[in-house]
Amino acid sequence: MKLQTIQYYFREVIISMIRNRWMSFASIGTVAVSLFILGVFLILVTNMTKMASSLESQVQISAYLNDALTDEGRDEVETMIKDMKSVSKVEYVTKEQALKILQDRLGEQKKILDALGDSNPLPNSFTVTVKNASDVKKTAVMIADLYGVEEVKYGQDVAANLFDLTHLIRVFGFLLMLLLTGATIFIISNTIRLTVFARRKEIAIMKYVGATDWFIRWPFILEGMGLGFIGGGISAIILRSFYSAMVNKVASTLAFFPMVEQFPFLNYVTIGIITAGIIIGILGSTISLKKFMEV
Amino acid sequence: MIHLHNVTKIYKQNNVTALEDINIDIEKGEFVFIVGTSGSGKSTLMKLLMREEVATAGQIIVDGKNVNNLKPKEIPYLRRALGVIFQDFRLLEDRTVYENVAFAMQVIEAPRHIMQKSVNTVLDIVGIRDKMKHFPGQLSGGEQQRVAIARAIVNDPKIVIADEPTGNLDPETSWDIMDIFQRINAAGTTIIMATHDKTIVDHMYRRVIELEHGHIVRDESRGAYEKFGEKWS
């Protein structure tokens, strides 16, 4: 393709976008909104998956003890846990230590604990470390059966629920995306249809003087790509600032929540969103060209 | 240059036979008038030559190309050998005279350095270079047709096909236009012109092919609009 031809195409695309500025604006807006929603789902699913996996790989079990349990009873429980084959380490955490850990985690928000006054609702507990992640569930059940153990908590339990939820969000997001993609392709193809209509005279002359079909098609395809690219770009910019704001907020309030690092994650999201925009644009214009221009 | 052999065109939509068993040979450099009443098949003949329509039967050779067998990809290259002119000029209103003519070169990706020279040359040939910055709306009908002719010949076609080029023009302007066609023809370009204009055909005294209900009823190497019409030279 010649340089002068490429210049010609770009000039045509810009002229056309200005001529149909409201439709172009609507197309870009639709692409931006749809891809923003896609991006939000992407970020949500990625983070939840990360969270679930990090929980799943935890080999620690927390066994909360009944407050009424005597010291002898506690020693007995500790010995029994230590005797289990799958257990590698048992650590006793007093309720005072537990409160201190909680205060540390809350960081600046630890003031909310002032509401408790001098009382400490946290139980004494054992933090049990298991040798293999595959033994966590079995071991947890055994510990839960011991006398004096009130409750057992472990990551896999929470992880399973989180995975279920992630799956649900993924399915829902996918369906929503199909719908939005369809709508976006429709509106872009409509915009290109208007362009084709506005240029029907030019197209006829081009055909008479012997322009090739691809020469005629390219400006329309580029226009579709351009609309998709700009829409995708806008939504990527919004998503990036949205996510970095969220990461900062989470870091200062829920420090223990493991968010996916901003980089390179956001770069992947940006590339993905813009590529999706361009593909949607190409699809939209191709549909219109097939339908409304016999070239 | 152009050979039609037993060409028949039936429009499937309404089952109308527009042309039947047409045989025509046109040599390089000829000037041919196609005459006949509306519906005689003139326009269909033109459309077959440009491959806007495909013949139902028979063979059409234009500039060495078998027109009926062209693949869609090859049609643009057939059209580059043809310059087409219409009754209604078909200029782009939002472009200047110069841009309208240059457009025909742009879209076949002609090299830019020859573009300016070629456009100026053809604007000189049709005598409208002084108005090259005007828009079509600012021109008279005759001037617009000159621009259309300039656009048709700027890519140096071997054949010019003109469908009623003087149909919208007054007699005096028509003669100016015919004068341009004669000069183009004198330079070696084959010209095929469908027309209703009796005076022009009679005065030019060139080859005339008359169509009636899709048949050739007359093909005279030097003829008038009507079969026994008065001859001029």
Side-chain angles (χ1 to χ4, degrees), chain A residues 34-35 37-38 41 170-186 280 283:
Chain A
S34 303
L35 291 178
I37 293 172
L38 168 76
F41 272 98
R170 223 177 258 173
V171 170
F172 179 71
F174 180 73
L175 291 177
L176 193 71
M177 240 357 264
L178 277 186
L179 216 71
L180 288 172
T181 307
T184 314
I185 290 176
F186 174 76
I280 287 172
L283 282 177

Side-chain angles (χ1 to χ4, degrees), chain B residues 135-151:
Chain B
F135 287 90
Q138 301 169 295
L139 303 177
S140 69
E143 288 168 331
Q144 290 189 50
Q145 193 60 298
R146 285 166 193 259
V147 179
I149 295 171
R151 184 181 62 197

